[in-house]
Amino acid sequence: MILRTVFISAMILVAAGAHAQTGAPGHYQQLCAQCHGSNRLGETGPALIPEALSRLKGAALVKVISEGRVATQMPAFSERLTQDEIAKLADYLTQPLAESPSWTGGDVATSRSLAPGYSPATAPVFKSDPLNLFLVVETGDHHVSVLDGDTFERLDRFATPYAVHGGPKFTPDGRFVFIMSRDGWVQKYDLWSLREVGRVRAGLNSRNIAISRDGKWLAVANYLPNTLTILSTDDLSVSRIFDVADKKGTASRVSAVYQAPTRNSFILALKDVPEIWEISTDPDAKPVYEGLVHSHESGMTEAIPSSQGLFARRRITVSRPIDDFFFDPEYRNLIGTSRDGDRGVVVNLIVGREIAELPLSGMPHLGSGISWIRNGRRVMATPHLKEAKLSIIDVKDWSLVDTVKTDGPGFFLRSHETSNYVWADVFFGPNKDEMHIIDKQTLKIAKTLKPVPGSTAAHVEFDRHGRYALVSIWEDDGALIVYDAATLEEVKRIPMRKPSGKYNVYNKITFSEGTSH
Ligand code: DHE
């Protein structure tokens, strides 16, 4: 009887196994799982879940499965699968996982690896100014180039995790840098030794990172799971994981995390609940009270601190979720918008509430905002992802000072303390090959560059002295073009694989007003 039961169970298992081996799930397990993980959460290859594939869908996804990816381990499957099977496999990858995956502190710790043979250098292994280096993220083949900011000589080019997004974050002394991928990998790189130190997977689908004022902690904002992971910058070990949910317990994705240097804290934008979080990075932070608690001991209703000291968490309630921020230079206020909204709200971080509202239609990209002094008053500018304009806002009274019409919606803005101009790309539409150079005082377009007709020109960063402005030609066989920031003439062109963002060590560690933080 027992034998018979075992036999029947085995038959069921075989049948289930055979069933699992048919159709798209079967093709996935046979052909993809080895690199992308049997659970689709990624291993040597990237995660293949809707959250990670939102930028690679439909025909583009079918093309990658059919033809593979040049210069990667991804092979072409057009000879092993029919067009119909490939279409079904692509469709399967865009289906959500049956259960929301978890990624615990233990998983983060297990993923951590330190580069064998790495030892820190006692001085830079090059002669260049270590604070005038640039990191250029080349998304075409998932590498970063390290450039000397005076000569533009390439000092190193290293492989990153797949699909790096957002600005790398530097330690306050500019010695180490942390780079994050959309699949949640954080890579630590030593800018003196020009060597990777190690990497860790802090989340499954992550948004960006921020470093604490003292350089000891790195916060990773995650969509999946709904957490904020705090790592020790020293050895990438997990220090704390916050499960993110509002007061009522509704879980939320974390849209972004930023350092507020004057407040010695991290500020979090939450995607799904109307709260902003502030997490202190001050070991002596004052207690945070989150409401009244009835004490059985005293029989009284008392305010009990919910947290204090390092990583004390404060909630700021807002009228609706805000997922894109710009901070004033003192980090007293932030302006936020939700991606579907047409207004901005100003939240005062000291009193912890909304203090003003301003009309901002056309999806402002506040994260790219920059500020400067115009006619004695500090203004900030933001591009809009859906309208061909820049909005100029007075950061004292929060009025909309002016609107600069552009040749198309833009993504990024840049300037420098020493420059008279704002550089604004025209990222979307037929004029994506243009770069406007706008006078900071008159707000008139002084010149429009078209570095490579037909190719997207995007994202600018200045060197530490403001002498040069670097522009990306955002194509697989693209380039980085160095302009003289005063004469606006081209100085040098360096071939690169889809260079996206570029980041100057000095401008970032000094929170230059002309660059995003
Ligand atoms: Fe980004 C920064 C969010 C799409 C390239 N992007 C950021 C930051 C956020 C953000 C919150 C600030 C992080 C930081 O630096 O700490 N980005 C979003 C989105 O919500 C959006 C619109 C949709 C999404 O897919 O997530 C988006 N971003 C893109 C792109 O499509 C871009 C152009 C190409 C890519 O690499 O995916 C892109 N984002 C960038 C870059 C930065 C960035 C290059 C760093 C800007 C900087 O100069 O600091």
Side-chain angles (χ1 to χ4, degrees):
M1 184 63 187
I2 291 171
L3 260 182
R4 196 165 163 254
T5 313
V6 170
F7 178 67
I8 290 172
S9 307
M11 289 292 286
I12 291 169
L13 277 177
V14 168
H19 178 71
Q21 294 306 311
T22 61
H27 287 137
Y28 178 84
Q29 293 303 335
Q30 284 163 25
L31 304 172
C32 320
Q34 196 183 352
C35 297
H36 297 280
S38 56
N39 51 11
R40 290 167 48 201
L41 295 176
E43 275 179 18
T44 51
L48 297 178
I49 52 178
E51 292 82 353
L53 288 168
S54 61
R55 305 158 54 68
L56 179 67
K57 300 183 189 159
L61 182 55
V62 165
K63 186 165 184 271
V64 172
I65 301 173
S66 307
E67 299 173 17
R69 268 190 198 277
V70 189
T72 73
Q73 306 290 311
M74 176 68 191
F77 287 104
S78 55
E79 294 195 347
R80 298 178 68 180
L81 297 173
T82 65
Q83 277 310 300
D84 183 50
E85 286 167 336
I86 289 176
K88 287 195 172 118
L89 182 54
D91 182 57
Y92 169 69
L93 299 180
T94 52
Q95 303 304 318
L97 294 176
E99 277 175 27
S100 185
S102 79
W103 194 247
T104 63
D107 294 320
V108 179
T110 309
S111 73
R112 185 177 75 121
S113 66
L114 297 177
Y118 164 77
S119 64
T122 49
V125 296
F126 46 83
K127 295 230 157 39
S128 321
D129 173 359
L131 295 186
N132 199 22
L133 300 181
F134 280 94
L135 252 63
V136 187
V137 175
E138 294 182 66
T139 50
D141 64 355
H142 313 286
H143 277 67
V144 161
S145 283
V146 184
L147 299 186
D148 174 317
D150 293 292
T151 63
F152 299 102
E153 182 200 346
R154 203 186 310 238
L155 303 178
D156 190 22
R157 188 169 191 274
F158 60 92
T160 65
Y162 176 83
V164 164
H165 178 234
K169 299 291 164 356
F170 299 90
T171 48
D173 56 2
R175 166 75 199 268
F176 295 98
V177 65
F178 299 85
I179 297 165
M180 187 214 77
S181 78
R182 287 186 182 263
D183 277 352
W185 284 96
V186 173
Q187 178 181 34
K188 179 176 177 182
Y189 179 84
D190 179 344
L191 282 162
W192 280 11
S193 311
L194 300 178
R195 294 282 307 274
E196 173 169 341
V197 181
R199 54 180 79 188
V200 64
R201 192 172 190 184
L204 294 172
N205 187 248
S206 303
R207 300 289 298 164
N208 80 325
I209 50 178
I211 195 161
S212 60
R213 186 171 82 179
D214 60 10
K216 288 187 177 164
W217 314 108
L218 191 84
V220 186
N222 299 318
Y223 263 7
L224 248 189
N226 294 166
T227 55
L228 181 88
T229 307
I230 300 186
L231 303 170
S232 154
T233 53
D234 191 31
D235 61 0
L236 298 177
S237 58
V238 190
S239 183
R240 181 81 164 260
I241 294 185
F242 282 89
D243 287 318
V244 178
D246 69 3
K247 270 187 179 168
K248 295 180 200 145
T250 309
S252 176
R253 294 169 286 176
V254 184
S255 288
V257 57
Y258 298 96
Q259 184 205 144
T262 59
R263 302 181 60 78
N264 201 355
S265 64
F266 292 128
I267 308 281
L268 279 66
L270 306 189
K271 180 92 178 162
D272 306 307
V273 297
E275 285 183 11
I276 291 169
W277 282 16
E278 177 166 31
I279 294 180
S280 178
T281 45
D282 176 359
D284 302 319
K286 294 204 177 82
V288 179
Y289 297 90
E290 277 192 352
L292 301 173
V293 174
H294 182 75
S295 160
H296 291 290
E297 247 171 57
S298 65
M300 310 264 285
T301 300
E302 295 172 359
I304 310 271
S306 53
S307 53
Q308 65 185 74
L310 186 64
F311 305 146
R313 190 268 323 271
R314 170 189 181 210
R315 298 171 192 266
I316 298 174
T317 305
V318 284
S319 49
R320 51 179 155 150
I322 297 175
D323 66 358
D324 192 17
F325 287 169
F326 172 83
F327 296 89
D328 63 16
E330 294 83 28
Y331 284 79
R332 273 199 216 111
N333 300 287
L334 64 81
I335 310 186
T337 51
S338 52
R339 282 276 146 77
D340 52 358
D342 56 3
R343 60 170 200 139
V345 290
V346 181
V347 177
N348 181 286
L349 292 168
I350 299 163
V351 297
R353 61 180 170 79
E354 292 175 15
I355 56 161
E357 213 177 274
L358 59 164
L360 283 176
S361 61
M363 223 197 234
H365 194 219
L366 292 168
S368 290
I370 59 166
S371 89
W372 69 93
I373 302 289
R374 175 172 182 261
N375 301 333
R377 296 191 59 110
R378 184 164 288 280
V379 294
M380 65 97 44
T382 177
H384 293 253
L385 301 177
K386 293 232 164 121
E387 273 183 43
K389 65 179 184 187
L390 305 180
S391 292
I392 316 294
I393 295 157
D394 184 311
V395 301
K396 268 267 169 316
D397 63 11
W398 304 108
S399 58
L400 187 62
V401 175
D402 211 340
T403 301
V404 180
K405 291 231 163 313
T406 59
D407 287 348
F411 221 105
F412 303 108
L413 286 184
R414 275 296 194 277
S415 187
H416 188 272
E417 285 78 355
T418 61
S419 170
N420 295 329
Y421 303 114
V422 170
W423 294 55
D425 58 36
V426 180
F427 200 84
F428 302 98
N431 300 316
K432 62 180 187 175
D433 51 4
E434 291 183 3
M435 176 72 63
H436 292 310
I437 298 175
I438 298 161
D439 187 299
K440 279 167 148 176
Q441 300 307 316
T442 63
L443 301 180
K444 299 270 175 285
I445 296 178
K447 189 168 182 180
T448 296
L449 302 172
K450 199 183 266 207
V452 179
S455 296
T456 306
H459 195 279
V460 178
E461 176 87 321
F462 286 71
D463 74 296
R464 72 176 281 188
H465 309 289
R467 285 194 297 245
Y468 303 108
L470 279 56
V471 175
S472 290
I473 300 304
W474 202 291
E475 306 289 342
D476 263 339
D477 281 318
L480 187 88
I481 307 187
V482 181
Y483 285 91
D484 182 304
T487 64
L488 310 180
E489 296 299 326
E490 182 176 327
V491 174
K492 194 164 183 173
R493 198 172 276 224
I494 308 164
M496 291 210 179
R497 301 295 311 275
K498 205 174 195 181
S500 59
K502 59 209 71 68
Y503 310 89
N504 178 271
V505 176
Y506 183 84
N507 293 342
K508 291 298 180 195
I509 63 175
T510 56
F511 286 75
S512 161
E513 65 178 23
T515 191
S516 45
H517 307 149

